[in-house]
Amino acid sequence: MKQYVVMGYMLCFCAATSVLGNDARDAMQEGQRQYKNQTFDEAAQNFGEAASLAEQAKLDPSVAHYNQANALLKSDKPDEAAQGYADALRTTDLDVQQHAFYNRGNALIESSKKLEQQGQLEPAVKSTEEALAMYEGAISLNPRDEDAKINYELAIQRKMELKEKLKQQQQQQNQEDQQQ
């Protein structure tokens, strides 16, 4: 799974947030430190704080949202991560958008897997369909992104497999209903 985290965007964010004073920079730096130390819940909290401070200062919080989503995904919280990537998509920075589309697709696939394990096949199919749309967005912004293309194809396969399982589940339920 490809994730562009913290480092490249950290420099851009810190330069853009100099008017926020030390609070936003400190929150981003602390989030970065915690991410490196693999304390992802704490990193997500600090990146969220940095995003909030950026919003208050009327600055683009997309990088902080993006980093927060990466940390949430590492914390095995794909639904929250998907929301964070959605927040990161609200930027004019096409590079951030492309990576957020891609990683939101990944988060939605992880969510789909969890739903499947819980036997919730219909929501799993919907999550996979949404992931497909995210990969399409990533590909439209960077047609050379081979990872997005591969994940798109894998998501198509996953959707077909889930639909087949759903069909089998519904047939089994119909048979059980007829036996009663």
Side-chain angles (χ1 to χ4, degrees), residues 10 15 37 95 98 101 158 169:
M10 177 67 181
N37 290 334
D95 191 47
Q98 196 273 335
F101 272 126
R158 177 164 180 69
Q169 185 183 59

Side-chain angles (χ1 to χ4, degrees), residues 10-172:
M10 177 67 181
L11 296 174
C12 295
F13 184 83
C14 286
T17 60
S18 62
V19 296
L20 288 177
N22 291 331
D23 292 342
R25 275 194 305 274
D26 289 348
M28 281 295 281
Q29 289 172 351
E30 184 62 18
Q32 180 185 20
R33 186 185 67 73
Q34 290 167 340
Y35 193 95
K36 284 181 182 178
N37 290 334
Q38 298 183 357
T39 52
F40 300 116
D41 287 331
E42 291 83 2
Q45 185 176 356
N46 276 286
F47 290 136
E49 181 182 335
S52 177
L53 290 168
E55 288 172 355
Q56 290 172 15
K58 307 255 188 268
L59 297 173
D60 185 356
S62 61
V63 173
H65 284 301
Y66 179 84
N67 289 343
Q68 180 183 33
N70 285 339
L72 289 166
L73 194 55
K74 289 283 193 176
S75 293
D76 197 31
K77 298 176 182 173
D79 294 331
E80 292 177 48
Q83 181 56 53
Y85 292 125
D87 292 340
L89 285 169
R90 290 188 229 128
T91 182
T92 57
D93 184 329
L94 296 180
D95 191 47
V96 173
Q97 280 185 11
Q98 196 273 335
H99 292 106
F101 272 126
Y102 176 86
N103 284 323
R104 185 159 195 260
N106 291 343
L108 290 164
I109 290 295
E110 289 302 312
S111 180
S112 172
K113 290 176 183 178
K114 283 186 168 191
L115 290 165
E116 180 186 13
Q117 289 173 348
Q118 298 167 358
Q120 299 180 34
L121 296 179
E122 286 184 40
V125 169
K126 288 181 182 179
S127 184
T128 302
E129 290 172 341
E130 193 174 348
L132 283 166
M134 295 299 105
Y135 293 133
E136 287 172 359
I139 293 166
S140 72
L141 290 173
N142 181 2
R144 294 183 303 236
D145 187 341
E146 292 300 317
D147 291 334
K149 291 176 183 179
I150 290 168
N151 284 9
Y152 180 80
E153 294 298 322
L154 291 171
I156 289 173
Q157 284 180 308
R158 177 164 180 69
K159 179 183 168 185
M160 290 188 309
E161 290 168 3
L162 286 170
K163 283 192 166 193
E164 183 60 32
K165 283 183 181 183
L166 184 60
K167 181 180 173 183
Q168 290 172 358
Q169 185 183 59
Q170 289 169 341
Q171 288 173 345
Q172 183 178 359

